[in-house]
Amino acid sequence: MFVPLCCLILGFDFSVCSYRSSLEFCCRCNQPDAEDGLVLNYISRRHTLRLEAERSRVKAHNLNRAIVTEDFYLAVNDPMLKSHQVQVSRSLGHKQLEPYGITWEPDTLVRTLDPEQVFAIVVLSDGVTDSLRRAAILDVLASTTTADEAASQLVKDSHAESVAVVSKSDDCTAVVVCL
């Protein structure tokens, strides 16, 4: 499932409303501390119960009707929903878990981009970020000539990597916007 709800770039203002486990990155050039001058910075964060802020929000909302397990799943104290353990803390598809703190409300972030340094916005599903390291993502961005080519290559590389490692592939979605 591709999970960002909305990404908007107006001039150099970037806004993203996202759910679940997509990640939005800002690719910067002209960075003197980086060997090749390129850096990939997170703009957003994953919406899972591994994050203390999300765990606290969910715990405050569910009033002990559910617990967060050691491996960061929400376990509901309801026999009808017992099989619905999730790690995500924001999701459109878990309406039945809303009373336990899982929310449909997106996480909204706004950033002003520096036109001298930022050359691309990259939105990736967890199928890409779980299988490719930042260096591999930067290599693809540096070696391709168009945003479409970069997005296609990221999906192809992440699919190949995940199949080679675990013999299956998660959703692999990439959107690249060159500025």
Side-chain angles (χ1 to χ4, degrees):
M1 174 194 319
F2 188 50
V3 289
L5 180 62
C6 176
C7 292
L8 177 65
I9 301 172
L10 292 173
F12 291 101
D13 290 331
F14 172 77
S15 302
V16 63
C17 298
S18 60
Y19 291 96
R20 294 188 60 139
S21 54
S22 68
L23 288 172
E24 293 76 32
F25 296 92
C26 176
C27 194
R28 299 181 183 278
C29 55
N30 305 321
Q31 301 297 302
D33 294 337
E35 184 177 317
D36 59 2
L38 299 176
V39 174
L40 197 62
N41 297 115
Y42 292 109
I43 294 174
S44 64
R45 57 190 167 265
R46 289 191 179 191
H47 305 106
T48 71
L49 296 172
R50 289 187 181 279
L51 295 173
E52 179 58 38
E54 289 295 294
R55 266 196 319 277
S56 295
R57 185 188 57 73
V58 168
K59 285 178 181 178
H61 188 82
N62 78 47
L63 305 172
N64 296 322
R65 294 176 292 175
I67 60 164
V68 177
T69 65
E70 286 182 19
D71 55 351
F72 302 105
Y73 279 85
L74 182 70
V76 177
N77 297 329
D78 179 332
M80 298 296 290
L81 297 174
K82 197 167 189 91
S83 65
H84 293 286
Q85 290 190 9
V86 295
Q87 278 189 323
V88 297
S89 56
R90 296 175 186 268
S91 177
L92 289 174
H94 291 90
K95 180 73 174 160
Q96 70 275 21
L97 296 177
E98 190 174 339
Y100 304 95
I102 305 300
T103 183
W104 57 268
E105 294 178 20
D107 190 17
T108 303
L109 300 163
V110 178
R111 301 281 189 271
T112 298
L113 307 175
D114 179 351
E116 298 295 319
Q117 294 184 346
V118 176
F119 73 88
I121 298 296
V122 183
V123 180
L124 303 171
S125 69
D126 62 342
V128 176
T129 58
D130 288 349
S131 60
L132 297 180
R133 297 187 180 275
R134 281 191 198 194
I137 295 168
L138 279 171
D139 287 347
V140 168
L141 294 171
S143 65
T144 52
T145 56
T146 67
D148 187 50
E149 183 184 352
S152 295
Q153 191 64 48
L154 287 167
V155 169
K156 187 185 304 181
D157 290 356
S158 61
H159 177 72
E161 182 67 25
S162 62
V163 167
V165 173
V166 293
S167 301
K168 66 177 184 171
S169 181
D170 193 0
D171 61 333
C172 297
T173 305
V175 175
V176 177
V177 178
C178 293
L179 305 176

